[in-house]
């Protein structure tokens, strides 16, 4: 029964009850005479009353002879003592009864209204569809005009765009792709680190194909009520079927598709029911109808294997961090609406940002624009981009954080030790800038190193050189001051991680040999079958664990001794440049290059 029909039924029921009440009141009023109590006593003395009924407040009865056509009467009682006193003076008196109708009505109506008010409030809190429609899908439907995104707005992921172009062609002409008996994949899973543009790419597919775009987050399927998530999955697919051809996009699929039984503790019945319903829907719809499911996640290693099998998510598209060419293309997209100075070379900006994702580059352009606006410039310069990179990588400058002269001297030698070792050894990332201005939460100084090109492999020598450069700051403190400080804590952590990986994963230890003692867990984009590290034990004994610790310690000590040797041979250059750094607080790349020409050439550089 719909809302309008329920309203009509309630209306006629209230009207019927009202008519009955009026009829009863009129009937009683026409048959019973209401008389004062003084008249009742007079009629009683005259013997005209046949019978009487007495209650706490009223006296009612029947007269022997009708008065004014009425034989029944009713009168409100009065206290006998007061009645006798009034009779002495011939006063006409009658009882007055306080009406409690309104009070009685409120005692019934107010609780009912409070109950229905609370029910209505809970209905609104339960979601946009209300408490009784909690299973309705919350997917927001985008049409082509709403997305406003096409492939021209997406850059740096050419391979992923090429894969998805086929989906666009299929949505435009499904019959063309089925003429040879083939079918399009039912589901396409976009894999990639956060910020690489997976959601933007899905919107671009809908914008290019000009089809409805159903977008929902995986977390919105899961609710506190059992069965609600499964109902929302059914409703979402039903809506999409009605508007096919269409695209269903589920963001953060890992919130919905976590592997069943992966965690033995806690209840996951609601999530498993929702996942089971999604698997059923994937088996149940025909891709030839023009319905395509896109999903995105940055944690594919925890997805249920049933989701990734053929016939469900048939195709997996990697949306990875862009290379240098991709970063240039992304910067061109994000700099369309900003004003750049003539000296800005996007290729140089791309070289400054290895490892940045599309979201990072968008933030970089915005930060540079804000910096240029803050200094009231007419356009964004390359210096603004450099400053924006430092703000993103190292944090905000803390010029108000005052260091005592001794601390500044230690920080200057520490950072210059990093720079000098990094400039001396081959295969180390290029030193771009050195500063003793505090940044971020705990950095008292920083040395920015950037690779000259994108690298995917590193040799053992390059890893050792990188470790040596990381320990250059600690070595400089030891050479100049003959003591160690807490400033190298982060450097030691990074060096220890590299050394342990060299021993346990890369087989770069002569003592332990070419054996991997660290079975790689199923992390992002890993095809390994091993369970997560917190659910497995080491595959080696205690003697091997001791040997690993000894090898890691020996590697770190060896590279530290090497860093000390390099800086000892160039101690004069270290002290001069540290003094210059104390004066200027920041040294750029051009000034750092003169360090290489300071003093005799390092024997380490010649040996490498």
């Amino acid at each position: 029964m719909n809302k309008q029909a329920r309203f009509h039924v309630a209306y006629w029921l209230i009207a019927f009850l009202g008519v009955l009440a009026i009829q009863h009141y009129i009937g009683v009023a026409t048959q019973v005479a209401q008389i004062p109590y003084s008249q009742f006593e007079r009629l009683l003395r005259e013997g005209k009353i046949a019978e009487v009924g007495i209650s706490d407040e009223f006296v009612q009865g029947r007269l022997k002879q009708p008065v004014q056509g009425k034989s029944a009467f009713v009168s409100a009682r009065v206290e006998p003592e007061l009645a006798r006193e009034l009779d002495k003076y011939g006063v006409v008196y009658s009882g007055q009864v306080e009406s409690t109708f309104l009070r009685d009505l409120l005692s019934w109506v107010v609780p009912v209204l409070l109950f229905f008010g609370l029910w209505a409030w809970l209905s609104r809190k339960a979601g946009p569809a209300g408490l009784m429609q909690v299973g309705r899908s919350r997917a927001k439907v985008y049409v082509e005009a709403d997305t406003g995104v096409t492939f021209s707005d997406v850059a740096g992921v050419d391979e992923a765009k090429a894969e998805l172009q086929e989906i666009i062609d299929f949505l435009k002409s499904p019959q063309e792709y089925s003429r040879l008996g083939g079918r399009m994949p039912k589901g396409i899973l976009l894999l990639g680190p956060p910020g690489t543009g997976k959601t933007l790419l899905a919107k671009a597919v809908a914008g290019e194909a000009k089809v409805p775009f159903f977008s929902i987050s995986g977390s919105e399927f899961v609710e506190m009520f059992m069965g609600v998530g499964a109902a929302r999955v059914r409703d979402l697919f039903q809506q999409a079927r009605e508007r096919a051809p269409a695209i269903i996009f589920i963001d953060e699929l890992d919130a919905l598709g976590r592997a069943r039984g992966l965690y033995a503790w806690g209840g996951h019945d609601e999530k498993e029911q929702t996942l089971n319903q999604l698997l059923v829907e994937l088996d149940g719809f025909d891709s030839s109808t023009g319905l395509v499911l896109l999903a995105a996640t940055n944690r594919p290693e925890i997805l249920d294997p049933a989701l990734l099998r053929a016939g469900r998510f048939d195709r997996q598209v990697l949306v990875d961090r862009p290379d240098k060419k991709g970063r240039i293309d992304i910067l061109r997209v994000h700099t369309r609406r900003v004003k750049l100075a003539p000296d800005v070379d996007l290729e140089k900006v791309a070289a400054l940002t290895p490892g940045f994702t599309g979201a990072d580059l968008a933030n970089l352009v915005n930060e540079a624009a804000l910096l240029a606006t803050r200094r009231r410039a007419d356009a964004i310069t390359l210096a603004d981009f450099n400053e924006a990179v430092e703000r993103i990588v190292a944090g905000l400058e803390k010029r108000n954080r005052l260091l005592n002269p001794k601390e500044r001297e230690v920080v200057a030698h520490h950072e210059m030790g990093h720079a000098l070792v990094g400039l001396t050894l081959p295969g180390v990332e290029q030193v771009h800038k050195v500063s003793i201005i505090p940044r971020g939460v705990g950095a008292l100084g920083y040395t920015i190193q950037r690779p000259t090109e994108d690298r995917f492999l590193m040799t053992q020598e390059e890893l050792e050189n990188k470790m040596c450069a990381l320990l250059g700051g600690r070595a400089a403190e030891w050479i100049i001051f003959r003591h160690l400080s807490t400033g190298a804590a982060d450097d030691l952590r990074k060096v220890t991680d590299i050394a342990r990986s060299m021993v346990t994963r890369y087989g770069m230890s002569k003592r332990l040999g070419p054996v991997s003692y660290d079975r790689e867990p199923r992390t992002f984009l890993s095809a390994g079958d091993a369970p997560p590290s917190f659910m497995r034990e080491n595959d080696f004994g205690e003697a091997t664990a001791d040997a690993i610790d000894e090898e890691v310690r020996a590697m770190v000590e060896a590279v530290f001794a090497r860093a000390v040797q390099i800086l000892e041979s160039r101690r004069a250059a270290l002290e001069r440049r540290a003094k210059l750094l104390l004066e200027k607080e920041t040294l750029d790349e051009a000034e750092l290059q003169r360090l290489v020409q300071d003093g005799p050439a390092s024997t380490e550089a010649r040996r490498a």
Side-chain angles (χ1 to χ4, degrees), residues 422-436:
L423 290 169
T424 302
L425 294 175
V428 181
E429 295 177 350
Q430 182 177 350
V431 181
H432 177 72
K433 190 174 185 179
V434 178
S435 176
I436 59 172

Side-chain angles (χ1 to χ4, degrees), residues 27 95 103 123 278 420 433 441-442 505:
R103 183 177 60 197
S123 299
L278 177 61
L420 189 55
K433 190 174 185 179
V441 178
R505 296 180 60 189

Side-chain angles (χ1 to χ4, degrees), residues 520-539:
E520 187 173 356
R522 292 175 58 194
T523 54
F524 175 64
L525 299 182
S526 172
D529 295 328
S533 57
F534 60 83
M535 295 183 63
R536 64 180 179 87
E537 297 180 356
N538 292 329
D539 298 329

Side-chain angles (χ1 to χ4, degrees), residues 170-171 186 237 240-241 244-246 248 285-287 289-293:
F170 162 71
L171 290 171
K186 291 184 178 180
F237 276 82
R241 289 190 188 99
I248 300 175
F285 81 86
D286 183 6
S287 58
T289 60
L291 195 62
V292 175
L293 176 63

Side-chain angles (χ1 to χ4, degrees), residues 17-331:
L17 294 176
V19 170
L20 289 180
I22 294 173
Q23 288 180 348
H24 175 73
Y25 176 78
I26 293 176
V28 171
T30 56
Q31 296 176 6
V32 179
Q34 294 184 359
I35 61 176
Y37 193 76
S38 59
Q39 185 180 357
F40 161 72
E41 288 194 339
R42 181 174 57 79
L43 292 174
L44 181 62
R45 288 192 296 268
E46 294 175 356
K48 295 182 179 181
I49 296 178
E51 57 184 26
V52 174
I54 302 174
S55 64
D56 292 340
E57 297 179 349
F58 296 98
V59 175
Q60 57 186 353
R62 187 171 56 84
L63 300 172
K64 293 179 179 180
Q65 295 180 355
V67 177
Q68 297 179 354
K70 300 178 182 179
S71 59
F73 72 91
V74 63
S75 177
R77 295 182 60 183
V78 179
E79 294 181 3
E81 295 79 2
L82 180 61
R84 286 192 293 269
E85 291 294 325
L86 294 174
D87 280 336
K88 293 180 181 180
Y89 301 99
V91 178
V92 177
Y93 52 90
S94 62
Q96 298 292 330
V97 180
E98 181 182 359
S99 176
T100 61
F101 174 77
L102 182 60
R103 183 177 60 197
D104 295 340
L105 181 64
L106 291 178
S107 66
W108 284 92
V109 173
V110 171
V112 173
L113 291 178
L114 288 176
F115 172 78
F116 279 103
L118 180 62
W119 181 82
W121 181 77
L122 291 175
S123 299
R124 289 194 299 269
K125 285 292 183 180
L131 187 63
M132 301 307 294
Q133 299 181 1
V134 72
R136 297 282 296 174
S137 173
R138 300 183 188 179
K140 183 177 181 180
V141 180
Y142 291 88
V143 295
E144 182 266 337
D146 288 335
T147 57
V149 181
T150 62
F151 273 178
S152 61
D153 301 311
V154 183
V157 285
D158 295 337
E159 296 83 0
K161 287 167 64 175
E163 286 286 334
L164 295 174
Q165 182 62 47
E166 192 176 25
I167 303 299
I168 297 171
D169 297 337
F170 162 71
L171 290 171
K172 291 182 177 179
S173 55
Q175 296 79 13
E176 177 65 22
Y177 273 80
S178 60
R179 62 185 179 86
L180 298 180
R183 65 170 181 83
M184 288 302 298
K186 291 184 178 180
I188 298 176
L189 183 60
L190 304 178
L191 310 174
T196 51
K198 300 182 291 295
T199 304
L200 184 68
L201 196 57
K203 290 184 178 181
V205 172
E208 290 283 344
K210 295 180 173 60
V211 295
F213 181 64
F214 292 78
S215 176
I216 191 170
S217 173
S219 60
E220 293 187 29
F221 284 108
V222 183
E223 290 285 347
M224 63 180 292
F225 302 104
M226 184 67 68
V228 172
R232 284 183 176 165
V233 171
R234 290 191 295 269
D235 180 67
L236 175 62
F237 276 82
Q238 181 61 34
Q239 291 184 46
R241 289 190 188 99
E242 294 173 356
R243 300 192 61 179
I247 291 177
I248 300 175
F249 176 64
I250 302 178
D251 200 4
E252 304 297 341
L253 182 64
D254 50 275
L256 166 65
R258 186 185 297 268
R260 293 166 291 185
L262 182 61
Y263 303 100
W265 56 87
H268 298 278
D269 292 341
E270 166 63 11
K271 290 185 178 181
E272 291 189 4
Q273 283 191 16
T274 307
L275 175 58
N276 291 337
Q277 185 62 46
L278 177 61
L279 297 176
V280 171
E281 293 292 342
L282 283 172
D283 288 335
F285 81 86
D286 183 6
S287 58
S288 63
T289 60
L291 195 62
V292 175
L293 176 63
L294 295 178
T297 182
N298 52 20
R299 302 176 66 194
E301 68 276 2
I302 68 171
L303 293 180
D304 194 280
L307 270 177
L308 305 179
R309 74 158 176 83
R312 284 169 180 161
F313 280 101
D314 303 273
R315 187 172 298 177
Q316 299 180 17
V317 178
L318 175 62
V319 187
D320 206 353
R321 289 184 175 88
D323 55 12
K324 184 177 179 181
K325 179 181 178 301
R327 294 196 296 273
I328 295 174
D329 295 337
I330 294 174
L331 286 170

Side-chain angles (χ1 to χ4, degrees), residues 354-370:
F356 275 39
T357 63
D360 295 331
L361 294 172
N363 185 38
L364 172 66
V365 174
N366 184 64
E367 284 288 342
L370 293 177

